[in-house]
Amino acid sequence: MRIACHPCETKEALPMRDGNQELQRWQQQMAQLDSETNTLHTQITNLEPVSTKSWDLCVIDGNVHLETPIRSLDELLRYNQASIRYLSPFQQLFRREHIQFKGVSTSVALASTGLIIRYATPRNQPRHIMYHGLAEMAHKWMDSLVDLYMERFNPYVGLLHRQSFLEHYHGLDDPLSSAIALAVCVDTIAYFYPQLEYSMQEKRDVAEFFYVCCRDKLLEMYDDPSQQLEAVISTNLLMQYLMDVLLEFAEARRLITIALLVCHDLEFQELSLVQNALFQRARSDLQICMCNIDLIVDDKFDYSRVQYQRIFVLDDEPQSTRVYFTMWKHILEFVGSRYATTLAEHAWSSVLHGKECELSLDLVLQFEPTIQAWWKSLPTEFRLCDDPFNLKAVRQAIESAPSSTHMMPLALIHVTTAAVQSTFLQPQSSIPEQANSDVINILRQRALYLTLCSTQALIHVMVKNLEVDIEAMPLSFGYMMGILHAICNIVSCLRLKLPPEMQNMLSYCFDKLRSVVPLDHHIPEESVTKLQSFVITRRSNPIVIYESYPIPRLAMLSDIFQTCFRHMNSLVSL
């Protein structure tokens, strides 16, 4: 018997059925290959014609030497492009040329969180206390917390389907019996704590009550197929509280590990359209959280494993949800790219801990073209200006940006640039006798320009973010970390004084962020130097100080900001 085999007409992923898991994995790989091919095509299309300029070369002991002087970055890029395009038999010779970058010092802004968690004793064990007397207060809070979440947070992040969740919530005899309702309350307190009434201690106590109730339910729900989807979604909703409020990364990692194992079982369950949409989102979010934990705690940068291709938006969801998922899709294309992963593999220890690093000249020179190619591939709604490194155009684009979500791709470019290029401020040839001083000077000047450009751009982004979305404090805190890291490196390496306008804007952002931190979470002046000492010696971990406050991460951020500003001022005054 002969059976005709016809290719499938649809490009949609196959529904989950037993036996097609391998085929679905091939589909995902094909989708990723198609995306990478399109990106490569965009890069090739945007290549400028190579100049007819000629260079004098010689090969000594297996290394290519450039004898023609290079006077500008444009000439250096042309030379690198020509070497790859026209001298293909010698590609490996060119790529052997490495540049060393001197280390600066451990970044208080970027490395402190990971070091504090890594050297905690005992190692970041959960310290949760159940206050049973809070049940009545917690019960009174639930309706207002759920309303706040559904009105002012969920429309932007889409972690829940509004109609389905509200039908579930309003049908409960006892809301405290629902893990997902408890998790929503936890996440609301974690995100909106500056806007909520009551004292910080009351917020922490009620959040703890909700969290412990939810976690205890989850431990039973993970093994129950009828409750596994709710367990995965609820676990995802707890992550902001564990990491961004309590600094309990070990507890977060344990719950994520269990939830991701449950996700394997859910792949083979028959899910409705709404259930599948929520499952795909929760799984991707948990994978991103795990990547964030690996990055912060273990210095491992790898976002290529995040499964975001199957995220989709439902017909009855708002436009803001679509914008949010589209934004994340493109961000993950960049941070999960081969170039970003390779660059981080070689330079991340230098960025965080100030270690010397050695990179191929080709990897260094591809930084701007890679970012420009990704920027040009973005949809128009996110590509706010033609050139992300034209500061005047960037300022105008930021002023007209409709939301913090639309600014995220631009902010990502400048966070990345500020972190990386501030590490490239002290280049030197890996082989001193072969050093080309022209090339070294060009790299140094370009690194300084890009660092200053991205630092100023981030300040403008943060100012705008504080104006249009004051509730998105985690974003503003993150931007400030990137700014402080870059400025500390500039001051440490070059002893440059910041322009007055830049100083004023930075002071405005600092004061604005500190105003969000309650006075009872400001670290006393006599304790500020302990963080810098710990970062250097790894002794006397200040986590003991932070955990004495209702919201430990707020206390830590206050300490980091003060420490960085004191460090900058001390260097400038030398």
Side-chain angles (χ1 to χ4, degrees), residues 374-391:
W374 176 73
W375 179 251
K376 291 177 181 178
S377 72
L378 293 176
T380 307
E381 62 185 324
F382 300 113
R383 197 172 63 252
L384 303 180
C385 59
D386 291 333
D387 183 359
F389 296 114
N390 182 325
L391 193 55

Side-chain angles (χ1 to χ4, degrees), residues 47 50-51 53 55 57 66 70 72-88 90-91 93-97 99 339 360-370 439 443:
L47 286 176
V50 180
S51 169
K53 178 179 173 62
W55 291 274
L57 307 172
L66 174 64
I70 292 181
S72 68
L73 179 66
D74 182 59
E75 286 188 10
L76 184 57
L77 290 171
R78 289 185 190 180
Y79 166 67
N80 185 67
Q81 190 180 107
S83 70
I84 301 302
R85 179 177 289 189
Y86 293 120
L87 301 178
S88 56
F90 300 97
Q91 282 188 30
L93 293 179
F94 282 97
R95 287 173 178 165
R96 286 178 195 168
E97 180 60 33
I99 303 294
Y339 177 82
S360 70
L361 180 59
D362 183 62
L363 188 64
V364 174
L365 293 179
Q366 287 304 310
F367 183 85
E368 281 185 80
T370 300
V439 172
L443 293 178

Side-chain angles (χ1 to χ4, degrees), residues 61-310:
D61 296 331
N63 291 292
V64 172
H65 287 244
L66 174 64
E67 297 187 335
T68 303
I70 292 181
R71 304 300 183 189
S72 68
L73 179 66
D74 182 59
E75 286 188 10
L76 184 57
L77 290 171
R78 289 185 190 180
Y79 166 67
N80 185 67
Q81 190 180 107
S83 70
I84 301 302
R85 179 177 289 189
Y86 293 120
L87 301 178
S88 56
F90 300 97
Q91 282 188 30
Q92 296 307 313
L93 293 179
F94 282 97
R95 287 173 178 165
R96 286 178 195 168
E97 180 60 33
H98 283 67
I99 303 294
Q100 285 183 343
F101 296 93
K102 293 181 182 179
V104 184
S105 61
T106 300
S107 173
V108 173
L110 298 185
S112 292
T113 304
L115 292 173
I116 287 166
I117 301 306
R118 196 178 309 163
Y119 288 91
T121 306
R123 188 171 180 179
N124 203 213
Q125 294 298 316
R127 301 171 178 83
H128 298 286
I129 302 173
M130 167 64 89
Y131 298 97
H132 294 282
L134 290 175
E136 184 177 352
M137 179 187 293
H139 202 285
K140 291 179 180 178
W141 282 31
M142 288 193 78
D143 284 347
S144 60
L145 291 175
V146 168
D147 289 343
L148 180 62
Y149 188 89
M150 298 309 295
E151 292 299 325
R152 288 164 55 183
F153 191 59
N154 193 69
Y156 298 96
V157 299
L159 299 182
L160 299 173
H161 181 247
R162 178 184 177 85
Q163 180 180 347
S164 301
F165 173 75
L166 290 180
E167 286 179 359
H168 164 77
Y169 179 72
H170 293 308
L172 294 169
D173 293 330
D174 179 11
L176 292 175
S177 66
S178 169
I180 196 168
L182 292 167
V184 165
C185 293
V186 172
D187 203 24
T188 306
I189 295 175
Y191 188 78
F192 289 102
Y193 61 81
Q195 287 77 40
L196 295 176
E197 298 179 359
Y198 311 106
S199 69
M200 298 300 285
Q201 189 62 56
E202 287 176 319
K203 297 172 193 176
R204 169 66 185 275
D205 291 344
V206 174
E208 280 287 276
F209 177 85
F210 286 134
Y211 173 76
V212 174
C213 288
C214 182
R215 182 197 59 190
D216 291 347
K217 293 180 184 300
L218 290 179
L219 298 178
E220 299 177 359
M221 294 167 64
Y222 287 130
D223 292 326
D224 183 351
S226 66
Q227 301 185 83
Q228 285 180 325
L229 179 59
E230 181 182 353
V232 168
I233 296 172
S234 300
T235 302
N236 184 39
L237 292 169
L238 298 177
M239 291 304 108
Q240 189 167 213
Y241 177 66
L242 288 175
M243 295 191 289
D244 291 346
V245 174
L246 302 186
L247 297 175
E248 290 194 359
F249 287 81
E251 174 90 335
R253 178 177 268 170
R254 281 191 288 270
L255 292 179
I256 292 173
T257 301
I258 298 171
L260 289 177
L261 289 173
V262 173
C263 286
H264 291 296
D265 296 336
L266 283 170
E267 288 183 1
F268 299 101
Q269 288 189 20
E270 292 291 338
L271 302 176
S272 68
L273 185 67
V274 171
Q275 289 175 328
N276 189 37
L278 298 180
F279 164 63
Q280 300 298 338
R281 298 171 191 182
R283 179 176 62 177
S284 297
D285 264 15
L286 289 169
Q287 290 170 337
I288 293 171
C289 287
M290 185 64 90
C291 291
N292 291 341
I293 293 172
D294 290 344
L295 178 66
I296 294 170
V297 179
D298 299 324
D299 298 346
K300 295 179 181 177
F301 185 104
D302 182 10
Y303 288 83
S304 62
R305 63 183 187 269
V306 178
Q307 297 171 279
Y308 215 79
Q309 301 89 346
R310 301 183 67 188

Side-chain angles (χ1 to χ4, degrees), residues 422-439:
S422 65
T423 307
F424 292 171
L425 292 173
Q426 301 183 92
Q428 58 184 1
S429 175
S430 59
I431 308 176
E433 62 268 25
Q434 295 181 355
N436 185 322
S437 59
D438 293 334
V439 172

